[in-house]
Amino acid sequence: MAAHLKKRVYEEFTKVVQPQEEIATKKLRLTKPSKSAALHIDLCKATSPADALQYLLQFARKPVEAESVEGVVRILLEHYYKENDPSVRLKIASLLGLLSKTAGFSPDCIMDDAINILQNEKSHQVLAQLLDTLLAIGTKLPENQAIQMRLVDVACKHLTDTSHGVRNKCLQLLGNLGSLEKSVTKDAEGLAARDVQKIIGDYFSDQDPRVRTAAIKAMLQLHERGLKLHQTIYNQACKLLSDDYEQVRSAAVQLIWVVSQLYPESIVPIPSSNEEIRLVDDAFGKICHMVSDGSWVVRVQAAKLLGSMEQVSSHFLEQTLDKKLMSDLRRKRTAHERAKELYSSGEFSSGRKWGDDAPKEEVDTGAVNLIESGACGAFVHGLEDEMYEVRIAAVEALCMLAQSSPSFAEKCLDFLVDMFNDEIEEVRLQSIHTMRKISNNITLREDQLDTVLAVLEDSSRDIREALHELLCCTNVSTKEGIHLALVELLKNLTKYPTDRDSIWKCLKFLGSRHPTLVLPLVPELLSTHPFFDTAEPDMDDPAYIAVLVLIFNAAKTCPTMPALFSDHTFRHYAYLRDSLSHLVPALRLPGRKLVSSAVSPSIIPQEDPSQQFLQQSLERVYSLQHLDPQGAQELLEFTIRDLQRLGELQSELAGVADFSATYLRCQLLLIKALQEKLWNVAAPLYLKQSDLASAAAKQIMEETYKMEFMYSGVENKQVVIIHHMRLQAKALQLIVTARTTRGLDPLFGMCEKFLQEVDFFQRYFIADLPHLQDSFVDKLLDLMPRLMTSKPAEVVKILQTMLRQSAFLHLPLPEQIHKASATIIEPAGESDNPLRFTSGLVVALDVDATLEHVQDPQNTVKVQVLYPDGQAQMIHPKPADFRNPGPGRHRLITQVYLSHTAWTEACQVEVRLLLAYNSSARIPKCPWMEGGEMSPQVETSIEGTIPFSKPVKVYIMPKPARR
Amino acid sequence: MPEIRVTPLGAGQDVGRSCILVSIAGKNVMLDCGMHMGFNDDRRFPDFSYITQNGRLTDFLDCVIISHFHLDHCGALPYFSEMVGYDGPIYMTHPTQAICPILLEDYRKIAVDKKGEANFFTSQMIKDCMKKVVAVHLHQTVQVDDELEIKAYYAGHVLGAAMFQIKVGSESVVYTGDYNMTPDRHLGAAWIDKCRPNLLITESTYATTIRDSKRCRERDFLKKVHETVERGGKVLIPVFALGRAQELCILLETFWERMNLKVPIYFSTGLTEKANHYYKLFIPWTNQKIRKTFVQRNMFEFKHIKAFDRAFADNPGPMVVFATPGMLHAGQSLQIFRKWAGNEKNMVIMPGYCVQGTVGHKILSGQRKLEMEGRQVLEVKMQVEYMSFSAHADAKGIMQLVGQAEPESVLLVHGEAKKMEFLKQKIEQELRRQPAWAEALSSPGVQGSAATWLLPEAKKPRLLTSGWCPQSKRHCASTATSRGGQGLTEPPHSVLKDHCVQHLPDGSVTVESVLLQAAAPSEDPGTKVLLVSWTYQDEELGSFLTSLLKKGLPQAPS
């Protein structure tokens, strides 16, 4: 809230300045030597106010540099005094305000003038604008106490103005500059410090609603600035809650909230009784009352604020869900209460009878309170509101309050469950998410679970998946509940087979959370029989796998369970443990020790042997520069193989292992390329063999890009090494080209370019150069002056020797590194039925993919479609197509449009995901680069792409159009 | 102080044939003109002789206002205008104007063709009657004549239902008609601004009821239907053609859409098709969801709901059928009921109240063997469910509306006397805390409501209310002052010497366009209420005068 308010205030005052900050100063200085002079001439030329206004408008479009502001201001003021037309004066006043905000200009010099002209001004609009200008000046000089005080004084003087606009601005000024403390008057002028709060408070009862709103906003502004408001305004604010105007009420609600956060514990009396309650409770009651306000803006505001009032006492909190029902003056039970009773009495389904909800006892007419005096039923109203904005706000507030109070969480459950049937999908989704957030505090009753599970049939994928997530972390109280959940999930699976993965995952958690509840269900679920052998279920049936996932995960903490398994269950276990290892845990099965011992949890806390292995093998490699090339190559090859295998085995080390393996591969390629025979033979003869070297150079380039952009958690020190490797690859490329091309002309350009690259490298990574002792670039930089002057042939020669002599750089491993990966779930690529469409028209292909460890997927992830004719098409998904289900995970659900000319027969197109990168955006900016030399376009453009998912084949058939 | 007289010609302390006569400051307005379902003789229409004894209706009445299209609010309209004779304007909203004749025609058909009544209004009379109708928009201020103006507010309840504010000079009355304060699947909630009428005439059908959340009922309903069709059973929902039927259709339609169900839903044809057409047209009158999504798809263009044919009832497999009439007393719904009653897989859901004696009432009270015509005995094996979907405001809703409008007095109509008594107490109790106090009148006789002026407790002048008043295009501020007439009748010329000051014959004073009015006698003779109002152009002077009055006038030598 606070941040929001602050932001809004900032927006108001800085809006106009933004474009002016980046001034294209130099250009202007060249074309117009003196801006002020030009303006002066223009204004003198103006014959009519309309003309002058035009000139001023034109002038306002161009930025003014800080040095000439002063001059321009003088000119403007001069004209101001002469001008008779209020509209021109208004424009001048607004220009003054704009100019005073110019960076690097100190506006205290124009303040006196501004105050001066303020005193003689008659027009209300101009007055308001001048006050706005003063506000701009005042905010520019927050340190200068005297000026602030003077401005506050001016504002107070004009508060009695008859125009609401002027009063508004005065209040704004007071809110932004006034101070509460009666500080000692410091300056000689003897301006007494005023109690701004009192002054603003007086305007709470102004006759104009706009001024009332401004007064409240000014008060909130005071609070924003860190001044402590007095408790006395609480009563004033409460009166404003019944104002006729919604903006006043809305602001008043905010003010009450602020006061309640400032003085939660102070005691206020309840009117018309002798009792007293805490202020926060009283404020809570009042804000609750506003949830049934006539204006929906106020309702949203009130519902939102309720969520952040955590200090309120539980008694009041629980009242918000309370609604006493009656029918013909007799007490009636709510459906929730009935459901609860039904459940506790052990009855299950009862057909609803006429009069099942017949009212019971008589209600004492005196005791019924129809207009809730306090918090009563606020959420009941909020959740039933007409506008979905209010309902969402209420659900959010419910969530926040439930998170802080477990007992409230238990109580609000019924209402949240009801919201699962809201007509607006957003509301449904929000309430499911809310429920997930508070699921630690609650246990679902069976009838509630029933309602929750009914939503599993929803046709919206988001809803279903949110619900699966919810079920992952719910507590179920009975075995019937588990059974019900399983049955419904299986139903869901048959209806929407694409939910398979999500459902399996859900059952995994459901099983591991409730082992004891699953245990009695096992015989039934596996349909085993004490005497007879039953048929072995189909191992590929997703439903059967789902059941097994549930059981195996429950069996992990329930050692008695495997005894109930039949033979084929064990076989299936072994199969699933291998094929779906992320869903099926390792079990301690009788007679299968090997499975359980390897990854039993007791070992993990100790020093991880695989980590050690990784370290050791890397160290071994880094000591390699002294070995003979043949041995080095072999060692590298082995290590790469080891690392790859390690990555497959240990998922948590996969990132590091892959990362280092890639680096080693680059090194290996470099060594291999340098071992080529072509270096020993005269150049023109071995055109063909050079293929290997140039291919190696190309591949190293690719790999370095992968290293730089496909891993999350890469730090600067790794980037240096990666760039260094890329530089080596470029050098290699240069040498190979030099040897294979005839003629020197192309070589000149390449050399030039390469030396530029070296220069860039030096500039970007100057801080890291000391770490690169004895490396290629180190040596290169030593010889730089010589290289600059020598001929290309010579350069190539030097490079060649240096490449051979340079040492192998040690790649420091980052703390956390993850490889970005993507899996395309849909299209599955299994279909034999081609997607038929008329050629020339488009067909929409649904693409669903999960992305892991991708940073900023909205900008980097692209979809590529490769047609059989080699035509490739890159599609940029909309930012809204990306969902973020968890940290580090993203989900892309989008549609790709395919189109082609007619084909004679169906053929396959390939769909894959690409990671777009742009190295200039990644490079850490050095101080001298921040001047804006890089144009903004470079930052957003795509330098290249890395495919990072397996391609999926889609069978399509564009038919010729029928004439 | 002009008097407001309210004479209920029907629906004073009962439900049915709503017809209320209101006289404000010499203007006579008739609110609603309904018929009573329970009677087949003269009692079914309001007794217009109360008016006609003094002369012709057209001479007496300035206008007639119809709040919504239910027959107990508009059923007597052709009789009233054509047979008794009324040629003045009849005001109603656009949807009401569209749907009302369909219902009247249907009603006429049943009365004349089926029951064979003579001396009933004809189709031509309905048409002639509808020609006298003037349609109004929501929040549109209609000037009936120089003094009388009316304005419609949204009321929920059914499509096109409206509350009306009737204003003559400074006196105003709000008539709510039937309204609903909780939104449902197709309509929003009633809303009124703080118009502070002198009198609020509100319905009080559920004066002693506080209802449970609508969601629970909806969920129960959907669950029941869903379970039955999943079992392969058939669901029969007897409904009346308009209102609840559309709500339930929307409910089922969206549910089918959400849950991706394929089971057919049928709607018995006829009247409903025409009505559905109008529902499609009057999107601005529906709730937020429908209004927001109709650009993509009009929610009343049902995808899953098809027209019913007699032959479909015998089709195998699950289905859901909406059939009329709602109480299972005759027609299609009864036919289908007979066919399906024998199967325990099937279900009938009664979404509303059933009158005693109908089949609906019998099965709801648990009777399992029914005697049909021709001495047949029908055994009811199917499940019978009751679900109340009612669109009237409950006690809380009524209080909420009263709180929103802030009237000086409240008059309860359209309900039972005993229940009104309870609500009256409550309104008195709870609204006394509000600045304006409430008076509940609930006897069917003639009432005069003496509106009470606001009494400032403080002796010091204080600002009571202020704000821009859109109707008169004037900014109003009322100030209470403890000075007698002095300050007003003798304006301090020293302060206002530059302005043109005029004394008007009624005791008020104008300064340029600023109007200062002293309030009529209040109980405390030492206190006066001053109303200061000004036009937009004279804001400066107006606010200056107000602040002057607030401070207290300077002691000016007169």
Side-chain angles (χ1 to χ4, degrees), chain A residues 682-732:
Chain A
L685 296 175
Y686 288 88
L687 277 176
K688 203 176 175 194
Q689 253 131 339
S690 71
D691 273 2
L692 200 139
S694 67
K698 211 181 268 172
Q699 203 184 338
I700 295 173
M701 298 277 278
E702 269 171 32
E703 299 279 356
T704 54
Y705 280 121
K706 271 191 199 165
M707 284 175 79
E708 192 178 351
F709 297 105
M710 260 179 75
Y711 293 87
S712 65
V714 178
E715 292 155 28
N716 204 19
K717 46 187 179 189
Q718 283 93 33
V719 176
V720 182
I721 308 280
I722 294 167
H723 275 257
H724 180 250
M725 181 54 86
R726 196 176 300 154
L727 201 64
Q728 281 176 305
K730 280 177 181 159
L732 182 65

Side-chain angles (χ1 to χ4, degrees), chain A residues 443-494:
Chain A
T443 306
L444 282 180
R445 275 199 328 262
E446 214 165 298
D447 55 304
Q448 290 164 338
L449 189 67
D450 200 32
T451 323
V452 171
L453 291 171
V455 187
L456 274 178
E457 289 190 48
D458 202 298
S459 59
S460 153
R461 177 178 210 140
D462 287 332
I463 297 263
R464 290 199 309 270
E465 276 173 10
L467 207 62
H468 294 154
E469 296 263 334
L470 165 65
L471 285 177
C472 283
C473 45
T474 352
N475 301 317
V476 182
S477 48
T478 58
K479 78 173 183 10
E480 283 81 10
I482 292 282
H483 192 237
L484 198 67
L486 180 66
V487 168
E488 290 292 333
L489 282 169
L490 292 182
K491 228 194 243 174
N492 172 357
L493 188 62
T494 39

Side-chain angles (χ1 to χ4, degrees), chain A residues 124 161-165 167 205-210 212 241-245 249 272 292-296 299 322-330 332-336 338-339 350-355 357 364-373 376-377 380-389 391 414-415 417-425 427-428 447 450-451 454-460 463 491 495-496, chain B residues 154 182-192 194 196 207-220 222-224 226-227 230 250 255 257-261 286-289 291-292 299 352-354 361 363-366 383-387 394-396 399-400 403-404 406 418-419 422-423 425-426 429-431 433-434 463 465-469 475-477 534 539-544 546-547 550:
Chain A
H124 293 298
D161 196 281
T162 47
S163 158
H164 70 89
R167 287 197 305 253
S205 55
D206 193 273
Q207 68 222 14
D208 196 301
R210 289 163 289 198
R212 294 201 287 272
L241 283 182
S242 52
D243 198 277
D244 283 8
Y245 287 80
R249 293 200 299 271
S272 73
S292 46
D293 189 83
S295 149
W296 71 272
R299 294 203 296 267
D322 198 21
K323 191 180 181 186
K324 296 266 182 313
L325 301 190
M326 59 174 194
S327 171
D328 290 345
L329 286 179
R330 278 177 297 174
K332 220 168 112 174
R333 291 165 311 148
T334 61
H336 292 153
R338 284 204 303 278
S350 84
R352 169 163 300 209
K353 286 167 211 106
W354 164 261
D357 57 347
D364 175 19
T365 49
V368 183
N369 204 5
L370 288 181
I371 288 191
E372 308 82 357
S373 45
C376 248
V380 180
H381 282 290
L383 294 176
E384 273 186 54
D385 198 274
E386 188 185 357
M387 312 296 284
Y388 83 93
E389 291 91 341
R391 297 200 298 269
D414 275 321
F415 294 90
V417 169
D418 278 349
M419 294 308 284
F420 284 18
N421 282 322
D422 196 272
E423 53 189 347
I424 307 257
E425 187 178 319
V427 182
R428 296 202 294 269
D447 55 304
D450 200 32
T451 323
V455 187
L456 274 178
E457 289 190 48
D458 202 298
S459 59
S460 153
I463 297 263
K491 228 194 243 174
K495 202 164 175 182
Y496 305 101
Chain B
Y154 191 75
T182 45
D184 63 30
R185 288 282 168 160
H186 71 312
L187 298 173
W191 181 86
I192 194 162
K194 245 182 218 179
R196 297 196 175 87
T208 54
T209 301
I210 301 174
R211 273 185 318 207
D212 200 356
S213 140
K214 197 140 194 145
R215 273 168 220 289
C216 297
R217 260 171 294 152
E218 284 176 0
R219 198 186 58 209
D220 271 357
L222 293 173
K223 209 171 133 190
K224 292 270 147 62
H226 191 192
E227 275 172 7
E230 270 201 339
I250 289 266
F255 186 72
E257 189 89 24
R258 261 181 67 195
M259 297 305 182
N260 222 341
L261 297 178
T286 54
N287 72 4
Q288 190 194 20
K289 157 96 178 170
R291 271 183 284 138
K292 288 222 158 142
M299 293 265 278
Y353 180 73
C354 286
H361 188 262
I363 55 170
L364 278 179
S365 42
Q383 296 177 51
V384 179
E385 298 286 347
Y386 172 72
M387 221 138 276
D394 63 358
K396 273 196 181 194
M399 296 303 285
Q400 210 182 332
Q404 264 185 23
E406 290 191 5
K418 238 199 291 169
K419 296 182 180 175
F422 163 78
L423 196 62
Q425 278 176 22
K426 286 291 144 194
Q429 231 180 55
E430 299 189 8
L431 292 191
R433 287 187 270 130
Q434 313 285 331
L463 192 68
T465 54
S466 79
W468 178 249
C469 169
H475 191 96
C476 301
W534 58 88
E539 181 183 323
E540 197 178 327
L541 181 62
S543 52
F544 168 69
T546 317
S547 53
K550 253 164 54 182

Side-chain angles (χ1 to χ4, degrees), chain A residues 137-241:
Chain A
I137 297 172
T139 37
K140 194 89 195 298
L141 303 165
E143 283 84 36
N144 196 332
Q145 281 281 326
I147 286 186
Q148 305 243 328
M149 223 113 84
R150 205 163 147 216
L151 288 176
V152 167
D153 209 46
V154 169
C156 291
K157 247 182 237 155
H158 284 91
L159 265 178
T160 47
D161 196 281
T162 47
S163 158
H164 70 89
V166 178
R167 287 197 305 253
N168 264 355
K169 285 291 171 203
C170 287
L171 288 167
Q172 215 175 31
L173 201 79
L174 287 177
N176 276 294
L177 304 175
S179 54
L180 288 186
E181 317 85 66
K182 302 235 171 197
S183 57
V184 195
T185 32
K186 286 173 200 154
D187 47 321
E189 285 170 271
L191 292 166
R194 292 160 182 263
D195 183 8
V196 179
Q197 189 179 330
K198 169 104 186 20
I199 299 166
I200 296 176
D202 287 345
Y203 282 81
F204 278 8
S205 55
D206 193 273
Q207 68 222 14
D208 196 301
R210 289 163 289 198
V211 179
R212 294 201 287 272
T213 317
I216 303 175
K217 292 246 168 82
M219 204 63 108
L220 288 169
Q221 182 62 32
L222 284 181
H223 171 70
E224 276 307 302
R225 289 172 49 225
L227 303 178
K228 194 158 183 177
L229 302 182
H230 291 305
Q231 200 193 325
T232 43
I233 58 163
Y234 180 69
N235 284 333
Q236 287 177 292
C238 289
K239 268 186 213 130
L240 288 172
L241 283 182

